[in-house]
Amino acid sequence: MADRNLHPETLALHAGWRADPSTGAVAPPIYQTTSYQFRDAEHAANLFSLKELGNIYTRLGNPTTAILEDRMTAIEGGAAALAVASGQAASAFAIQNLARSGDNIVSSTDLYGGTWNLFANTFRDLGIEVRFVDPADPEAFARATDDRTRAYYAETLPNPKLSVFPIAEVAAIGRRFGIPLIMDNTSAPLLCRPFDHGAAITVYSTTKFIGGHGTSIGGLIVDGGNFDWGAHPDRQPMLNTPDPSYHGAVWSEAAKPLGPIAYILRARVILLRDLGAALSPFNAFQILQGLETLPLRMPRHASNAEAVARFLSARSDVTRVIHPSLQTGVQRERADRYLKGGMGGLLGFELAGGMEAGRKFIDALQLFYHVANIGDARSLAIHPASTTHSQLSADEQASTGVSPGYVRLSVGLEHIDDILADLAQALDAAQ
Ligand code: PLP
């Protein structure tokens, strides 16, 4: 099938797999194997020298995982993908594939807390400086750039502000310098297509909406194949200078016969090989099960969240509701431009009663689960001031957008009347 001409609903079910050639099995098999027998000595030598792509060892690649990679590549309109063990591993590899000690990247301040820690602490310890800038001003990325800047990084729809990132503006600035924009699109798969707006790489925690069932941790990096690494040899040395760990390969050259996949090829054969954060074939299978229904689920998450936003806006005990559907001005223009088919399932709101009301509200919920996750088919809630952000000072909490009465919801796929009824009774109990 010519994947590029099919719609996401069709690709989510068909891309990357038809039927098992030997058994006829329709569902993707779980290839629970560590190793693959080579046909002969020449075949083995070709695989190791990358003259031919194929299976060597499951830390480097696996046929079940490859279906997930190919399917997301087709849906996203990219060139190739790499599945890894978690969203955290995807973010880390996405940067480490371009930046080494002494280099820097420029990142939006509006990040998932785990990514913030990775960037501000672990990368600093590894000698990679992350320069944080306010995404409200796209030119801030240009101002923070110097000769050692290797990448820009941001989230499409970051918590808790839920202001859509100016993808095209920052991608265009980066392309002037030879710097790729890496987008974490975890909160908006299918709703946003970052490559259409100039981003070069996307990363996902597939743990969230893509899986949807809340059973399996996983991550993905997708290479848009739309960035000319070879045109920027000084800016992108890791893809343009001989790599001593792979018999002197220059990745922008070595990948040419295989397609515009220099970036993702290096991530697989160097980072996955050496750091080993491979996705298990079983988790790849689970995530594929989720992906098959993602095109049905995302619009429902979004329409339920919009209904919740309207409901909460009408309550006198709620002082503020945060959802892109309620935004105005430039924020709304960006939401309309970058999100198609819905404005996402995440929502925040502030209770007039502050910390005490927040805790009471959470304890009174009956349908919503009280968990730190997002993107499950079930509705989820958390009170950040008493949980995820409790180690931060009041000032630090405020700077991340978390007030004492702030509650985060990930609105699920239940019937909207049942969702609203649970929120109403919990709000009443919190008064
Ligand atoms: N990126 C975003 C936006 C997230 O919300 C998360 C997890 O909450 C991650 C990355 C990390 O993903 P994982 O938990 O799969 O490592």
Side-chain angles (χ1 to χ4, degrees):
M1 275 189 287
D3 286 348
R4 291 283 180 137
N5 299 324
L6 299 173
H7 295 86
E9 292 82 350
T10 312
L11 294 171
L13 291 164
H14 293 279
W17 176 255
R18 186 62 194 173
D20 183 72
S22 54
T23 64
V26 169
I30 304 171
Y31 287 99
Q32 195 69 30
T33 182
T34 57
S35 319
Y36 307 85
Q37 175 156 265
F38 307 120
R39 285 194 303 273
D40 51 34
E42 190 188 352
H43 179 221
N46 283 347
L47 290 177
F48 276 92
S49 66
L50 299 178
K51 279 196 191 123
E52 212 179 306
L53 290 184
N55 299 310
I56 297 175
Y57 186 60
T58 281
R59 171 153 43 77
L60 296 170
N62 171 279
T64 310
T65 306
I67 301 167
L68 173 63
E69 291 164 345
D70 291 351
R71 200 162 282 186
M72 269 306 285
T73 298
I75 290 174
E76 194 89 317
L82 178 69
V84 289
S86 66
Q88 282 297 113
S91 311
F93 278 19
I95 302 301
Q96 287 177 301
N97 206 33
L98 297 173
R100 58 163 67 102
S101 178
D103 293 339
N104 67 75
I105 68 159
V106 183
S107 171
S108 164
T109 44
D110 296 352
L111 293 176
Y112 163 62
T115 310
W116 180 279
N117 267 330
L118 168 70
F119 284 6
N121 299 305
T122 301
F123 275 175
R124 184 200 52 216
D125 292 348
L126 293 173
I128 299 170
E129 181 197 354
V130 180
R131 300 175 173 184
F132 293 101
V133 298
D134 183 352
D137 175 13
E139 283 299 325
F141 281 79
R143 289 195 295 275
T145 299
D146 69 12
D147 289 349
R148 298 291 298 265
T149 304
R150 305 290 180 229
Y152 293 163
Y153 189 97
E155 291 181 17
T156 304
L157 190 55
N159 259 317
K161 292 183 195 160
L162 298 178
S163 297
V164 176
F165 184 77
I167 303 173
E169 293 91 324
V170 176
I173 293 169
R175 281 173 188 272
R176 267 190 353 236
F177 294 110
I179 296 174
L181 173 62
I182 302 170
M183 290 302 307
D184 179 340
N185 203 33
T186 298
S187 304
L190 289 179
L191 302 180
C192 179
R193 290 170 56 88
F195 299 149
D196 291 352
H197 306 290
I201 307 294
T202 54
V203 297
Y204 287 95
S205 166
T206 58
T207 315
K208 311 292 184 319
F209 291 99
I210 292 178
H213 32 51
T215 67
S216 310
I217 302 276
L220 261 176
I221 309 171
V222 189
D223 184 339
N226 60 2
F227 199 87
D228 189 356
W229 306 100
H232 307 286
D234 296 335
R235 175 65 73 185
Q236 302 298 347
M238 287 172 73
L239 294 178
N240 286 296
T241 46
D243 190 334
S245 92
Y246 219 101
H247 49 74
V250 176
W251 294 110
S252 60
E253 288 299 319
K256 267 188 186 149
L258 306 168
I261 62 165
Y263 174 89
I264 212 74
L265 183 66
R266 185 189 185 279
R268 183 186 297 281
V269 303
I270 302 297
L271 293 176
L272 197 57
R273 180 194 68 179
D274 292 356
L275 299 176
L279 185 66
S280 84
F282 181 73
N283 276 16
F285 172 81
Q286 291 282 77
I287 294 160
L288 273 167
Q289 300 308 294
L291 182 54
E292 290 189 353
T293 57
L294 186 67
L296 282 177
R297 289 186 283 111
M298 286 313 288
R300 174 66 84 90
H301 278 293
S303 62
N304 276 355
E306 278 191 39
V308 168
R310 284 194 300 274
F311 165 81
L312 291 173
S313 301
R315 296 271 313 196
S316 58
D317 47 358
V318 172
T319 50
R320 196 161 66 107
V321 183
I322 305 160
H323 187 259
S325 64
L326 301 176
Q327 288 165 353
T328 55
V330 69
Q331 285 186 354
R332 180 55 188 255
E333 281 165 28
R334 286 187 184 138
D336 285 336
R337 176 173 182 193
Y338 294 117
L339 302 178
K340 302 290 175 204
M343 298 209 173
L346 304 180
L347 179 147
F349 68 98
E350 224 163 274
L351 286 159
M355 177 76 99
E356 188 55 25
R359 297 175 76 123
K360 279 193 192 156
F361 170 81
I362 290 285
D363 283 341
L365 287 169
Q366 293 167 4
L367 185 70
F368 277 68
Y369 281 88
H370 179 203
V371 296
N373 196 18
I374 57 167
D376 197 299
R378 303 155 192 86
S379 287
L380 315 173
I382 197 152
H383 177 233
S386 62
T387 57
T388 51
H389 289 58
S390 57
Q391 272 95 51
L392 274 62
S393 68
D395 281 353
E396 286 170 335
Q397 285 191 10
S399 70
T400 64
V402 167
S403 65
Y406 176 79
V407 174
R408 183 185 80 196
L409 302 181
S410 175
V411 181
L413 306 177
E414 300 92 345
H415 193 286
I416 187 60
D417 293 351
D418 298 330
I419 292 173
L420 297 183
D422 194 39
L423 292 173
Q425 65 80 25
L427 286 168
D428 292 344
Q431 280 184 346

